[in-house]
Amino acid sequence: MNTLLLDSDDVDENARMAAVIDAVEEAFGAFERGDSQMPAKSYIDLPQYNGDFRSMPAYLDTGEWDAAGLKWVNVHPDNPEKHDLPTVLGTMIYSDPETAVPLAIIDGTALTMKRTGAAAAVATDYLAVEDATSMGVVGAGVQSYTQLEAISEIRPIEEVVVADKDEERTRAFIDTFDDRFDVRAGSISEAGHCDVLSTVTPVEDPIVGPDDVAEHTHINAMGADAEGKHELADDLLLAARIVIDDHEQCTHSGEINVPYHEGVLGDEDIYAEIGELVVGAKEARGDDTGVTVFDSTGLAIQDVAAAHVVYEQALENDNGTSFGLIDTDDV
């Protein structure tokens, strides 16, 4: 029995965004129903290298399919300058739950970008106004691209405003999408007054306040992935309907982690987990709902769901490199 090696190009070719969005939504539902196992993300801190490793295992059963996997990922901010390597590198091991056979070794960096965009799209589908046609993006790094790609799958986005201090990154973003959208550079406030806003920055001092968004804006807060990171002002969070992906992760390292630990924001200020909206346990967006915020830390079940889509599509398309990893001669 062979294992598939799927590199970033294979992920791009086989991670059909609409299918990944559906799979991630199913994963959120399985998590809420208790049909998944997801141990807490574990960290190995390496201050001597200004970096860390993170281990993210999960199993989920949607009722139609089940899957298991482990993502091994890092954050090394010095990599680009010192080693000509990306800050984040990831490897996904996708396994057969019945036999434990490693079905695929998948580039986890490309997979993470796809599933992160898909998670924002799921939240946007439940929380944004139905007729949303404009989208703002704060931060024009690599994650910003899949935010727009995914959200435009579930809302008819026409106008896009991107805010970033780096003119080169802003221009690259605009050049990528100007044949599909009316996209332009703008201020944080201009981006925030769109129907949907995705923030994808690593800041620790909030950059988006209450005056920077419209009365109905849905915000996907995607940038916070470690303690101390904080993109949205406390008074904006307190005035919004907050939906999180997981209580433990969000209070530890999500957008709400700083005000939560300072006692500014409590459990009573958290409206729901996204899985509650998916299974219908909580109302998504009502007629009188104002600003909404999705605090996304990224869950291992999302990686497994995205890996499932990529693997099944790669099999169908005969993509990837097949190799023998397990020796069954002596069994």
Side-chain angles (χ1 to χ4, degrees), residues 29-296:
F31 185 49
E32 178 61 27
R33 291 190 302 269
D35 294 328
S36 67
Q37 297 180 49
M38 189 178 68
K41 183 189 301 185
S42 62
Y43 290 79
I44 297 176
D45 291 318
L46 302 169
Q48 67 272 37
Y49 301 118
N50 188 28
D52 64 61
F53 284 113
R54 306 167 190 197
S55 172
M56 301 174 63
Y59 164 81
L60 66 97
D61 183 352
T62 69
E64 296 184 4
W65 51 269
D66 68 342
L70 167 81
K71 186 171 75 174
W72 179 243
V73 64
N74 75 294
V75 177
H76 281 61
D78 296 337
N79 266 2
E81 183 177 346
K82 291 186 176 181
H83 306 289
D84 197 25
L85 290 169
T87 296
V88 178
L89 298 164
T91 301
M92 183 76 189
I93 303 171
Y94 180 69
S95 300
D96 182 343
E98 182 178 2
T99 65
V101 168
L103 300 173
I105 308 297
I106 306 173
D107 176 80
T109 306
L111 192 76
T112 298
M113 288 190 286
K114 298 291 186 181
R115 62 82 153 151
T116 302
V122 173
T124 300
D125 202 20
Y126 283 92
L127 293 169
V129 293
E130 287 290 337
D131 58 352
T133 58
S134 61
M135 178 175 172
V137 180
V138 176
V142 292
Q143 290 285 0
S144 63
Y145 291 76
T146 51
Q147 290 293 302
L148 178 53
E149 288 168 1
I151 289 168
S152 62
E153 288 280 346
I154 51 86
R155 287 294 188 275
I157 301 299
E158 299 172 0
E159 177 188 2
V160 180
V161 180
V162 56
D164 194 302
K165 292 180 179 179
D166 189 314
E167 293 184 5
E168 186 175 340
R169 289 196 304 191
T170 301
R171 173 47 54 189
F173 183 91
I174 292 172
D175 289 345
T176 300
F177 292 111
D178 64 359
D179 61 337
R180 295 169 52 192
F181 306 98
D182 177 12
V183 55
R184 63 180 177 85
S187 66
I188 289 175
S189 183
E190 289 174 298
H193 278 80
C194 292
D195 299 320
V196 180
L197 172 67
S198 285
T199 59
V200 281
T201 71
V203 299
E204 296 187 356
D205 294 319
I207 54 175
V208 183
D211 294 336
D212 294 319
V213 298
E215 293 180 354
H216 67 283
T217 303
H218 167 63
I219 306 168
N220 296 302
M222 314 301 290
D225 61 357
E227 292 180 80
K229 292 187 178 181
H230 191 19
E231 297 182 291
L232 311 181
D234 292 349
D235 46 356
L236 171 57
L237 288 170
L238 288 169
R241 174 174 287 189
I242 300 173
V243 175
I244 62 178
D245 58 9
D246 175 67
H247 187 276
E248 182 177 357
Q249 285 195 189
C250 286
T251 55
H252 175 269
S253 55
E255 176 56 37
I256 64 172
N257 84 91
V258 174
Y260 188 88
H261 287 288
E262 291 178 348
V264 174
L265 181 149
D267 289 341
E268 68 278 6
D269 299 304
I270 301 170
Y271 176 71
E273 290 190 355
I274 185 66
E276 294 180 90
L277 306 189
V278 171
V279 303
K282 288 279 188 74
E283 178 188 38
R285 185 180 188 94
D287 292 337
D288 60 346
T289 305
V291 175
T292 55
V293 171
F294 176 52
D295 182 356
S296 173

Side-chain angles (χ1 to χ4, degrees), residues 315-327:
L315 280 183
E316 185 176 324
N317 293 339
D318 195 25
N319 291 150
T321 302
S322 180
F323 68 100
L325 185 62
I326 297 177
D327 184 0

